Every structure is written in structure tokens, then in C-alpha cells.
């Protein structure tokens, strides 16, 4: 059995090229080109920062049971956004005598290949930390200017998205 693993955590990722359908399509194309029959493990709406994802847990169980020969993933950050978890998962795949295949680049279990994989993982973790930092800075700036940092329709109020403010609802009487 050969596995495809795909994941997105947000709708925004789906809009910026990491859509589940695009990941699955490119992974299927690779599998078909190589004559591999596949089983799909799809986590739609789960952060890559954590290992607790339903499809990933099923994949890991199947790897431990030695049911999987190849794991095809679009990109390493679809496997995980956490370098430690990427390395752990790659190690689990290798210990199950399965091959890890990425669509976006070649993965090599040699010392050099693992070094490159680690560097890419570190860059991905850095990117996630910078996104978080910018998001928090933007929310803090918004809050300091008296605006809401979230869209919460409190009872008796409507949310004015343009001005990031709650407005008292007008009585219909």
C-alpha cells in the first residue's frame, strides 16, 4: 500500500496554492506515473504544528503495522510545520522501511539529504514564527488604536468590519 498525505490548516492556505485538491492531484499524478496504488490520508483544517491529526495518526498506525511502502507528500511543511516533528515523522517512515517522497523536491535519507531536509524544516519553522509575530503585532496595533481585534457579535451590537468597531443596534420600535 502507498500513501498520500495532504493537509491544510486554514482557508487562506487553500487560496494560496496549498489547497487539498491541488496537493492530492499532484501526489496522485506522481503515484500514477510510477504505477503506485494509493490510499489517501487527508487532514483538512488541522495545524501542521502538532502531531495530533486524525489522518496523520491513521497513517502512523499503518506505518507501524508495516502496511505502507511509500508516503507521498506535496511539501515537507504539509507533513509538519515543526522541525522536530518533521524529523520524527521522517524517522518513523524510514524505520517502517517506507520511502518518503515529496513532490516539491527530492528527499534523500543520506546524511546530506537529511541535512537539507533539516535546513528546509528550520526555515519553515522560522517562517511560521514570523507570521505569528506579524499577526500579533498587527492585532496589538489595532487594539492600541481602540479597534477590535476580532469579529465578535456581542448581544445588542453589530460589528462594523470597515472600522473594526461594535455599534449599538438600533431599536426596531
Amino acid at each position: 500500500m502507498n500513501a498520500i498525505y495532504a493537509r491544510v490548516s486554514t482557508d487562506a492556505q487553500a487560496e494560496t496554492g496549498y489547497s487539498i485538491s491541488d496537493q492530492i492531484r499532484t501526489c496522485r499524478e506522481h503515484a500514477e506515473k510510477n504505477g503506485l496504488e494509493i490510499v489517501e490520508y487527508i487532514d483538512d483544517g488541522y495545524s501542521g504544528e502538532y502531531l495530533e491529526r486524525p489522518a496523520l495518526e491513521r497513517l502512523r498506525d499503518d506505518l507501524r503495522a508495516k502496511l505502507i511502502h511509500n508516503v507521498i507528500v506535496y511539501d515537507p511543511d504539509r507533513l509538519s510545520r515543526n522541525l522536530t516533528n518533521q524529523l520524527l515523522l521522517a524517522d518513523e517512515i524510514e524505520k517502517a522501511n517506507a520511502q518518503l517522497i515529496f513532490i516539491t523536491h527530492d528527499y534523500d535519507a543520506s546524511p546530506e539529504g537529511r541535512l537539507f531536509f533539516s535546513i528546509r524544516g528550520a526555515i519553515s519553522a522560522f517562517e511560521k514564527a514570523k507570521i505569528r509575530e506579524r499577526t500579533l503585532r498587527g492585532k496589538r496595533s489595532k487594539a492600541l488604536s481602540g479597534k477590535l481585534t476580532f469579529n465578535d457579535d456581542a448581544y445588542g451590537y453589530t460589528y462594523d468590519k470597515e472600522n473594526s468597531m461594535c455599534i449599538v443596534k438600533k431599536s426596531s420600535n
Side-chain angles (χ1 to χ4, degrees):
M1 191 162 56
N2 302 285
I4 286 177
Y5 180 76
R7 175 194 69 80
V8 292
S9 58
T10 64
D11 291 335
Q13 284 181 330
E15 294 167 9
T16 59
Y18 275 140
S19 71
I20 288 285
S21 60
D22 189 54
Q23 289 177 58
I24 293 168
R25 180 187 54 77
T26 56
C27 290
R28 280 180 184 161
E29 286 172 0
H30 177 85
E32 288 172 14
K33 184 172 68 176
N34 292 286
L36 303 175
E37 292 185 31
I38 55 164
V39 173
E40 295 174 359
Y41 299 81
I42 312 300
D43 279 320
D44 191 357
Y46 288 88
S47 172
E49 190 170 350
Y50 307 105
L51 290 175
E52 295 78 21
R53 295 176 251 152
L56 181 61
E57 288 176 1
R58 286 192 313 278
L59 173 59
R60 294 173 77 197
D61 288 343
D62 289 347
L63 282 163
R64 282 188 283 276
K66 308 272 191 217
L67 300 175
I68 306 292
H69 303 292
N70 296 288
V71 178
I72 305 167
V73 184
Y74 180 75
D75 190 77
D77 67 3
R78 300 299 85 207
L79 190 58
S80 181
R81 282 276 191 180
N82 178 302
L83 175 58
T84 303
N85 292 344
Q86 280 185 357
L87 295 172
L88 173 78
L89 292 168
D91 190 55
E92 286 180 7
I93 291 166
E94 289 170 20
K95 284 183 178 173
N97 294 320
Q99 184 178 358
L100 179 56
I101 301 166
F102 294 113
I103 300 302
T104 57
H105 76 282
D106 292 330
Y107 174 75
D108 179 4
S110 70
E112 293 83 4
R114 288 190 61 63
L115 173 63
F116 183 67
F117 180 65
S118 297
I119 290 169
R120 281 189 60 122
I123 291 168
S124 180
F126 171 75
E127 179 183 323
K128 181 166 180 64
K130 291 304 287 182
I131 290 168
R132 180 178 290 137
E133 179 185 292
R134 286 189 296 268
T135 300
L136 290 174
R137 187 174 54 239
K139 285 183 176 183
R140 186 172 25 261
S141 175
K142 214 173 177 184
L144 289 172
S145 69
K147 296 181 178 182
L148 296 175
T149 60
F150 56 92
N151 179 357
D152 191 22
D153 286 333
Y155 181 75
Y157 295 86
T158 57
Y159 181 69
D160 177 356
K161 190 172 185 175
E162 185 175 313
N163 295 306
S164 299
M165 303 178 84
C166 283
I167 310 287
V168 176
K169 283 185 181 178
K170 296 194 179 177
S171 174
S172 58
N173 293 339

